[in-house]
Amino acid sequence: MTTAPTPLRVIKARRTYYENVVRTLKTAPISAWFGMIVILIYAIFAIFAPWLAPHDQSEIIGKAYQPAGEACWLGCDQIGRDMYSRLIYGARNTIGIALITTLISFMVGGSLGVLAALQRGWLDQGISRVVDAFLAIPVLIFALMMLAVVGKSIVNLVIILALLDSTRVFRLARAVALNSVVMDYVESAKLRGEKMSWIVFKEVVPNILPPLITEFGLRFCFVFLTIAALSFLGVGVQPPTADWGSMVADSKTLINFPVTTFPYIPAPFYPAGAIALLTVAVNFVVDWFLQRTSGLRDGE
Amino acid sequence: MANDTKRVKGDILLEIKGLKIDGKSDDQWKPIIKGIDLTLRRGEVLGLIGESGAGKSTLGLAAMAFARPGCRITAGTIVFDGMDLTAADEAQKRGLRGSRIAYVAQSAAASFNPAHRILEQTIETAITHNIMPREKAETDARDLYKRLQLPNPDTIGTRFPHQVSGGQLQRAMTAMSMSCRPDLIIFDEPTTALDVTTQVEVLAAMRNIVEQFNTAAIYITHDLAVVAQMAHRIMVLRYGNLVEEAPTREMLKQPTQDYTKSLWAVRKLEKPESPNSDIVLSINHVDASYGGKVKVLDDVSVQVPRGRTVAVVGESGSGKSTLARAITGLLPISAGDISFNGKKLSRALIDRDRDTLRRIQMIYQSADTALNPRQRVRDIIGRPLEFYLGLKGADRDRKVVSLLESIELDETYIDRFPSELSGGQKQRVSIARALAAEPELIICDEVTSALDQIVQEEILKLLMKLQKDTNVTYLFITHDIATVRAISDEIVVMHKGKVVQQGLKSKVLNPPYPAYTELLLSSVPEMDPDWLTNLLKKRAKA
Amino acid sequence: MNLVLKTVLQRLGLGLITLFAVSIIIFSSLQMLPGGYAQNILGQGATPETVKNFNHELGLDRPATVRYVEWIGNAVRGDFGNSYSGTTGTIKRSVSAIIGPRLFNTFFLASMAAIIAVPLSLALGLLAALYRNSWYDRIINSVTLTTIAMPEFFIAYILVFVFAVKLRWFSPLSTVGEHTPFLEHIYRAALPALTMTLVIVAHMMRMTRASVLNLLSSPYIEMAQLKGASKAYVILRHALPNAWAPIATVVAFNLAYLVVGVVVVEVVYVYPGIGQMMVDAVSSRDMPVVQACALIFAATYITLNLLADIISITTNPRLLHPK
């Protein structure tokens, strides 16, 4: 082999990461753009809630069920708190709790899934059988049961849902990791004598990240909807913390009465609509991701 | 190809003029067929040959006025027996398909409906098109099975597709295409998925039946030697264009285009053998099995001389790839031993030290799966440099560039991802990754099988050049005899987990042969239009 | 032995093992509290004496294995013990007696939704697959994607608002009793059934479309087209015999989804089913009721998936006609 010193020139990457992102975004369909803008707006409201909301989430500013007007322009709830402010705080609380839950679920389920796929053998068998049993119980039902045992609190809610959801993440992470593990490039790394950590983080993880990110969006929606449902059922997020699911439940009687002031929409539809809009937005973005994830190419 | 004169007698059956077909990729229509004329007479067999992406399958289906989803015919006329198919409506086209123009697909296993019996599917067209009553169709199908030399022709039809072998299924599909006695049959790579010894039987059966019924056919393949046995006339396609068209014998004798010549490029390579008694790898009485049941390797002994190429050849299931796994330690052997440089290798990969691992490298059949799609060439080739030789930063990059030069790629490739490389370039990068470890032995597992002929030739030449430069040893696993001839010094023939024969190339490829070697070697199609005819005569005599 | 029978029996066995594992999980959920269930219910102020009495009264002081065997043995015979909320007095309310009529109501509601949703979504999904990329397909795709993303109670309240409050066709509350006549029951359960239909049709339709497309891309379908078969013939003769397994999977998956969705919908419409009962029991931490409900939900879920698998096995030609 030639060993003559070759002058080393700086060879630039053909396209920077930033350029790739811009190129990709340009090809996004309208639905995906709509989704991304909605998510961005929600994020702004969630992060800057204390500055954007006119009142605190537990501050009583008017009469019970006060109709919309100048003082509170979406009306007041059953004990006279400002609906609009609670809606904004709700973004922070509901999205925050769902996000933390999903993150924990991915850390636990994702790492166990990859580990099981790489190690196979008894470890894989053991975890997989336990997970199979958990998969046979619907999440909402199991969460209800566990909340009955350990009692209602946000921490309990997060832990229970994260653990339940991690069984679903485990299944997917294991499946995609298995697809990657059987590839010749992983065998090649083993033959080279690489350590397990290299194989996991340099060979397998970069390849399973795109499907896992897509799945993160879907799992987030699922967790978010489950938390909303549990709160709606009165066993999720507890007062006085503002939360969209419980806000729907608290104001549900208002649906039977006509609304005489602008914008003529019964109160439960604000928080319910807020939930629906976010999940629709995330789904639109995920749908676009799903359609283009097959390409791992640099740009084009 | 017995009767060349027949083709001039027939009337024109199919005439395609100025055909253009677009295919959709990434939401854009791109041309697949770029204006092709084709004429076929009654009883004539036309070979369509070309490499991947040539558009030959698309053209074959167009003869049935059929475009796959994502394809559309944009220009040209397709006239079949006086009827313009591009102007015909769906009902008219349906009336022709199956009854007057039939199709034989590459994968019979996937193209038979798993839910119905073979006989049922064989006679389906005859019955749905009201060509003959069921009883007559069934009797006829059994007769066709017999003519195609299927075992138990009277009862094989009652079986389901998954119950018979690939070669039998391919013949059953030929019977299916023949059931309405069509004027034209499209054969789309019908033997590509078969082992070479099975291929001979299927080819013979197909040619025989086409001749018996004087059916015209379009035979699509990438293998010139195969098409030479079947076709009266050959069209060479490339990138949707016609390269050359000539009667078979003429085409083989004096091709006018360089591209046509390149189609048998590998066959013209032949490395002179050179013996060497310095053994680098010695495999002694090795057994191996998956899950401890059936022995995949049974008492295998192979000696690999230093700086030479030993080709391991065999059909699917011969255990040749398992041998590679046993040497590398991926599949620990259950008996025998393997010595490298005179020292015994640990059976399991995990017990081998880094320097031993460095000395034995492996190159895979599919560079698509062997290169991590998320790593750039810099890291793919650079990792072994870093891992084994401790090179870092600029030193490492300098060495990567010099390795790129040795595989005839320039330094601009260093920042590419595998998806930005062609098939041949990917395989070159795989070679560079193996070379980076400065190994003594490289195991090449079918490294050229997934490549087009001309690329195969380049890769084989590159491997030989690198062997000259570095004195590296190759253990070359392949099913392709032409490749074996091209690069080996010694040959090991394997069959059902056993070594049938090992020796210098000149000895193995020349008589006297052990029985299996003879069967294997004689089954490899040659660039001679009379090869199949002669072989069948010879086998009939024996 | 017959291969199909063998595979079905294997699958049944696996289903039983799963059910057993699930029952253990459900039963042992009670043991998971660090301070014990009684301490949690009675609060920090409870004296050891009260805790002991409470535990004894509920039988919680006996070994868990003994109690499990008792519990599961009785459960198999339909006896889930007595509700905690009734045990303080002299009258004991048996869980089975409370569940019985409500279970009927829930299955009534779920069946109504299934009878509308299954054929509707199979038909819509098949059409979307056959006319892939047409305007119909695109519109259906966006609409279903939107519907899937919505929480059940949002859809429910929209229906209440439109059909009960504005149009006054139905009552916003679906109260039924043991003596409600059949037709009246259907009328009163119409809104909740419609809600659940909307929730699962979107899911089911998308899954149907995907699996039909997957099926239609098989080489043997192309082969049938190349043999000159008409579109209808290709679908009926070549696609359908291979479609039972994917269809069964889609239907079972969505019916299982429906079983869960019933909880929220029952609460919205105050429909007296076991979903609503379970939520009440969770609030009052009435564990025997909660566990009984969880077991029923899980058993339904497992049974549905088991049925789908058995249909797949019994229609698989490779198993029906082994080599």
Side-chain angles (χ1 to χ4, degrees):
Chain A
M1 220 174 306
T2 50
T3 45
T6 320
L8 183 77
R9 267 182 276 158
V10 182
I11 301 154
K12 267 171 62 182
R14 300 183 343 126
R15 255 181 234 119
T16 63
Y17 182 75
Y18 173 75
E19 284 167 337
N20 275 332
V21 171
V22 171
R23 275 172 62 94
T24 312
L25 282 179
K26 275 184 186 162
T27 63
I30 302 172
S31 60
W33 270 109
F34 167 79
M36 285 186 284
I37 290 170
V38 169
I39 292 171
L40 190 70
I41 294 172
Y42 272 71
I44 291 172
F45 273 101
I47 294 166
F48 301 106
W51 293 276
L52 292 172
H55 305 283
D56 188 68
Q57 53 181 329
S58 50
E59 186 185 345
I60 295 171
I61 60 147
K63 294 191 296 261
Y65 299 129
Q66 183 173 317
E70 293 216 344
C72 45
W73 61 280
L74 290 181
C76 288
D77 71 358
Q78 77 281 9
I79 56 168
R81 292 172 296 199
D82 180 29
M83 276 293 266
Y84 175 64
S85 302
R86 284 180 67 77
L87 213 51
I88 293 175
Y89 272 98
R92 171 175 259 208
N93 301 332
T94 316
I95 299 174
I97 293 170
L99 206 58
I100 291 171
T101 308
T102 320
L103 282 173
I104 298 175
S105 137
F106 264 74
M107 283 192 291
V108 176
S111 47
L112 285 179
V114 174
L115 196 68
L118 275 168
Q119 292 282 356
R120 308 304 306 274
W122 60 267
L123 181 81
D124 182 22
Q125 284 297 319
I127 306 178
S128 292
R129 292 293 82 76
V130 172
V131 162
D132 280 350
F134 273 92
L135 286 174
I137 314 174
V139 169
L140 188 72
I141 303 300
F142 201 97
L144 277 172
M145 186 182 79
M146 290 310 296
L147 286 168
V149 177
V150 297
K152 314 168 213 175
S153 82
I154 291 182
V155 177
N156 286 347
L157 185 70
V158 169
I159 294 175
I160 290 170
L161 279 183
L163 287 180
L164 287 181
D165 202 54
S166 66
T167 58
R168 273 76 179 167
V169 176
F170 169 85
R171 260 257 283 243
L172 180 93
R174 179 177 174 276
V176 290
L178 267 185
N179 280 341
S180 177
V181 164
V182 298
M183 288 291 179
D184 291 336
Y185 57 80
V186 173
E187 188 179 299
S188 172
K190 281 185 193 155
L191 284 182
R192 193 157 60 227
E194 298 281 6
K195 287 200 193 73
M196 192 52 110
S197 58
W198 172 279
I199 293 177
V200 171
F201 292 107
K202 297 286 183 173
E203 306 286 348
V204 175
V205 167
N207 283 290
I208 63 172
L209 227 42
L212 282 185
I213 289 172
T214 316
E215 183 68 8
F216 187 87
L218 293 175
R219 296 313 315 171
F220 168 79
C221 283
F222 182 77
V223 168
F224 181 71
L225 287 175
T226 309
I227 291 177
L230 287 169
S231 299
F232 172 77
L233 297 174
V235 295
V237 181
Q238 298 298 312
T241 311
D243 163 83
W244 291 337
S246 46
M247 283 170 74
V248 176
D250 291 343
S251 58
K252 64 186 173 198
T253 46
L254 289 179
I255 201 165
N256 296 312
F257 305 107
V259 186
T260 51
T261 51
F262 183 79
Y264 309 108
I265 298 169
F269 287 128
Y270 294 116
I275 294 168
L277 186 61
L278 178 61
T279 42
V280 169
V282 174
N283 266 288
F284 276 158
V285 177
V286 166
D287 197 47
W288 169 54
F289 254 68
L290 279 176
Q291 276 169 13
R292 62 173 302 280
T293 37
S294 50
L296 297 170
R297 286 165 292 181
D298 190 12
E300 159 57 38
Chain B
M1 238 243 0
N3 195 350
D4 262 16
T5 48
K6 196 166 28 181
R7 67 187 166 83
V8 284
K9 289 192 296 192
D11 312 323
I12 289 181
L13 178 67
L14 176 74
E15 187 156 41
I16 293 177
K17 277 207 172 122
L19 184 71
K20 289 184 183 171
I21 299 176
D22 284 357
K24 204 172 193 174
S25 65
D26 293 339
D27 266 335
Q28 273 183 322
W29 291 100
K30 285 175 187 156
I32 299 179
I33 300 288
K34 301 165 184 165
I36 283 189
D37 298 342
L38 181 156
T39 315
L40 185 69
R41 291 170 188 278
R42 278 189 190 279
E44 185 185 19
V45 178
L46 172 69
L48 286 185
I49 185 159
E51 300 180 321
S52 49
K56 49 195 194 302
S57 280
T58 312
L59 182 58
L61 288 170
M64 308 179 79
F66 184 88
R68 288 210 165 110
C71 290
R72 60 172 188 197
I73 297 172
T74 54
T77 52
I78 303 161
V79 179
F80 176 80
D81 203 16
M83 182 206 261
D84 184 359
L85 298 186
T86 44
D89 62 29
E90 269 310 306
Q92 284 172 310
K93 286 190 263 187
R94 270 211 306 275
L96 290 180
R97 288 177 192 152
S99 64
R100 298 198 59 200
I101 314 177
Y103 181 76
V104 176
Q106 171 169 354
S107 166
S111 298
F112 267 104
N113 192 326
H116 301 298
R117 293 176 198 277
I118 292 173
L119 183 66
E120 207 51 44
Q121 301 190 53
T122 309
I123 62 169
E124 186 178 356
T125 320
I127 291 177
T128 52
H129 284 66
N130 291 319
I131 288 171
M132 53 182 106
R134 168 171 287 270
E135 238 164 75
K136 185 160 174 266
E138 283 182 4
T139 321
D140 182 66
R142 282 191 279 269
D143 176 52
L144 285 172
Y145 294 153
K146 205 173 291 163
R147 287 168 189 259
L148 285 160
Q149 287 161 3
L150 278 164
N152 312 318
D154 290 334
T155 54
I156 195 166
T158 62
R159 315 190 80 182
F160 281 84
H162 64 271
Q163 294 173 318
V164 307
S165 75
Q168 292 170 5
L169 215 49
Q170 203 68 49
R171 275 178 277 174
M173 180 167 280
T174 307
M176 179 163 89
S177 70
M178 210 36 114
S179 74
C180 297
R181 301 294 183 276
D183 302 292
L184 170 63
I185 299 183
I186 318 284
F187 291 98
D188 192 353
E189 302 256 16
T191 61
T192 307
L194 304 176
D195 267 331
V196 65
T197 49
T198 319
Q199 171 173 269
V200 174
E201 298 160 17
V202 176
L203 282 179
M206 286 190 306
R207 192 178 73 175
N208 183 14
I209 201 148
V210 167
E211 264 170 23
Q212 279 181 32
F213 295 112
N214 193 29
T215 314
I218 294 180
Y219 195 98
I220 298 165
T221 178
H222 66 281
D223 189 339
L224 194 55
V226 165
V227 84
Q229 314 310 316
M230 307 297 288
H232 303 115
R233 186 158 52 97
I234 295 175
M235 285 173 76
V236 181
L237 299 182
R238 191 183 198 194
Y239 304 141
N241 289 312
L242 178 68
V243 175
E244 186 173 1
E245 180 178 359
T248 304
R249 285 174 194 280
E250 233 168 86
M251 172 85 75
L252 292 181
K253 222 176 281 167
Q254 42 201 186
T256 58
Q257 301 296 314
D258 286 343
Y259 177 70
T260 311
K261 289 177 203 160
S262 77
L263 288 174
W264 59 93
V266 172
R267 289 173 184 266
K268 284 184 294 190
L269 281 181
E270 183 156 0
K271 186 181 114 160
E273 69 180 30
S274 113
N276 185 356
S277 56
D278 176 15
I279 301 296
V280 63
L281 180 79
S282 165
I283 301 166
N284 303 306
H285 307 290
V286 159
D287 287 359
S289 62
Y290 293 104
K293 279 184 192 165
V294 187
K295 275 188 192 172
V296 194
L297 294 180
D298 188 358
D299 193 21
V300 169
S301 296
V302 173
Q303 309 303 317
V304 182
R306 187 182 304 280
R308 300 294 182 271
T309 303
V310 174
V312 180
V313 62
E315 297 180 284
S316 53
S318 63
K320 57 188 193 300
S321 286
T322 309
L323 184 61
R325 295 178 65 81
I327 296 167
T328 55
L330 282 167
L331 179 70
I333 55 178
S334 51
D337 61 75
I338 302 175
S339 313
F340 184 66
N341 282 332
K343 252 171 55 189
K344 260 191 199 172
L345 283 176
S346 310
R347 288 187 174 185
L349 174 65
I350 206 164
D351 301 325
R352 297 187 186 173
D353 61 54
R354 191 177 284 200
D355 196 53
T356 311
L357 295 175
R358 177 184 69 76
R359 288 164 197 265
I360 305 177
Q361 292 292 311
M362 178 136 171
I363 309 174
Y364 294 85
Q365 167 171 5
S366 161
D368 282 322
T369 59
L371 303 181
N372 191 329
R374 290 264 161 199
Q375 291 174 359
R376 292 177 194 268
V377 168
R378 181 198 300 273
D379 298 314
I380 292 170
I381 303 179
R383 181 59 189 170
L385 294 172
E386 189 178 274
F387 187 76
Y388 293 126
L389 312 173
L391 290 180
K392 289 209 165 65
D395 287 343
R396 191 187 79 154
D397 282 3
R398 228 189 311 273
K399 183 78 183 171
V400 171
V401 171
S402 97
L403 280 164
L404 280 174
E405 274 166 10
S406 69
I407 55 163
E408 294 151 15
L409 291 179
D410 68 55
E411 61 191 43
T412 57
Y413 284 90
I414 197 167
D415 270 313
R416 294 213 185 179
F417 283 104
S419 56
E420 298 169 292
L421 303 172
S422 71
Q425 288 169 342
K426 277 183 233 179
Q427 201 55 287
R428 283 166 190 270
V429 171
S430 302
I431 293 171
R433 175 173 64 184
L435 282 180
E438 299 179 359
E440 287 170 60
L441 171 69
I442 299 182
I443 300 171
C444 303
D445 190 359
E446 301 268 13
V447 291
T448 55
S449 308
L451 302 171
D452 286 336
Q453 281 278 323
I454 193 159
V455 186
Q456 283 190 24
E457 185 208 8
E458 290 166 5
I459 295 287
L460 292 177
K461 278 184 174 164
L462 174 68
L463 286 171
M464 284 191 264
K465 187 196 110 192
L466 293 170
Q467 186 169 51
K468 212 182 259 173
D469 292 348
T470 63
N471 200 35
V472 66
T473 311
Y474 295 130
L475 186 72
F476 205 97
I477 292 162
T478 182
H479 69 279
D480 184 42
I481 303 291
T483 310
V484 172
R485 219 180 289 265
I487 74 156
S488 68
D489 294 286
E490 289 199 20
I491 299 176
V492 177
V493 181
M494 288 190 69
H495 182 52
K496 292 185 177 166
K498 290 192 172 170
V499 171
V500 177
Q501 195 182 6
Q502 168 167 19
L504 285 171
K505 175 160 63 180
S506 55
K507 183 173 148 248
V508 175
L509 293 184
N510 288 301
Y513 305 113
Y516 178 73
T517 310
E518 166 141 42
L519 176 70
L520 185 68
L521 291 179
S522 68
S523 299
V524 179
E526 285 167 22
M527 288 293 170
D528 167 12
D530 299 321
W531 167 80
L532 183 61
T533 317
N534 294 339
L535 176 72
L536 293 175
K537 270 186 207 154
K538 217 165 87 190
R539 286 196 182 169
K541 243 186 268 168
Chain C
M1 202 185 354
N2 183 323
L3 191 62
V4 174
L5 193 65
K6 195 174 149 194
T7 322
V8 167
L9 286 179
Q10 271 173 359
R11 191 61 196 81
L12 278 174
L14 195 65
L16 274 178
I17 292 172
T18 313
L19 198 55
F20 174 67
V22 166
S23 73
I24 289 182
I25 295 175
I26 290 174
F27 179 80
S28 55
S29 61
L30 253 188
Q31 328 293 323
M32 285 179 184
L33 273 190
Y37 178 73
Q39 190 76 57
N40 244 270
I41 288 284
L42 301 171
Q44 291 299 326
T47 59
E49 194 65 18
T50 8
V51 170
K52 204 178 157 197
N53 279 339
F54 182 86
N55 279 339
H56 184 73
E57 201 167 335
L58 300 179
L60 291 177
D61 50 355
R62 289 178 301 143
T65 41
V66 174
R67 279 184 295 126
Y68 173 73
V69 173
E70 245 177 54
W71 177 70
I72 197 70
N74 290 334
V76 169
R77 278 179 269 130
D79 176 8
F80 290 99
N82 293 320
S83 163
Y84 286 178
S85 41
T87 47
T88 40
T90 42
I91 316 150
K92 297 199 171 181
R93 297 197 305 155
S94 103
V95 175
S96 319
I98 314 173
I99 288 183
R102 286 171 169 261
L103 191 59
F104 168 78
N105 287 344
T106 295
F107 277 112
F108 190 93
L109 177 60
S111 316
M112 253 179 93
I115 287 169
I116 314 170
V118 173
L120 184 67
S121 36
L122 289 183
L124 289 177
L126 187 66
L127 283 177
L130 290 181
Y131 299 98
R132 179 175 25 164
N133 294 331
S134 65
W135 60 267
Y136 164 77
D137 184 30
R138 280 161 207 258
I139 290 176
I140 280 278
N141 184 41
S142 314
V143 172
T144 51
L145 196 61
T146 313
T147 324
I148 283 174
M150 292 195 180
E152 289 97 348
F153 53 78
F154 185 50
I155 297 176
Y157 280 126
I158 290 177
L159 292 181
V160 167
F161 186 67
V162 174
F163 293 107
V165 177
K166 288 286 167 194
L167 297 172
R168 301 190 170 281
W169 291 354
F170 300 96
S171 156
L173 301 181
S174 305
T175 37
V176 293
E178 263 175 82
H179 305 292
T180 314
F182 183 72
L183 286 177
E184 181 69 17
H185 198 147
I186 289 183
Y187 170 70
R188 291 196 186 165
L191 267 193
L194 185 61
T195 309
M196 299 210 304
T197 305
L198 284 180
V199 170
I200 63 163
V201 158
H203 249 120
M204 206 161 171
M205 205 222 82
R206 284 174 79 88
M207 287 175 68
T208 309
R209 176 183 181 274
S211 47
V212 170
L213 279 184
N214 187 24
L215 192 67
L216 291 183
S217 65
S218 315
Y220 59 81
I221 296 294
E222 183 180 280
M223 191 68 212
Q225 289 170 328
L226 291 173
K227 282 159 81 178
S230 67
K231 206 164 191 170
Y233 185 87
V234 171
I235 301 272
L236 290 176
R237 173 89 184 152
H238 287 279
L240 197 60
N242 296 292
W244 297 118
I247 288 178
T249 311
V250 171
V251 171
F253 181 90
N254 286 283
L255 291 185
Y257 188 85
L258 188 142
V259 168
V260 183
V262 91
V263 176
V264 172
V265 173
E266 283 181 2
V267 170
V268 170
Y269 292 96
V270 202
Y271 181 85
I274 55 166
Q276 199 211 28
M277 184 175 105
M278 184 175 181
V279 174
D280 289 345
V282 167
S283 291
S284 60
R285 305 181 84 172
D286 188 350
M287 286 317 290
V289 175
V290 173
Q291 287 179 325
C293 291
L295 195 61
I296 290 171
F297 276 118
T300 316
Y301 201 84
I302 293 170
T303 312
L304 284 169
N305 285 312
L306 196 60
L307 274 177
D309 281 353
I310 289 176
I311 291 177
S312 302
I313 293 167
T314 48
T315 56
N316 184 342
R318 283 165 200 278
L319 292 174
L320 286 174
H321 314 281
K323 283 196 175 181

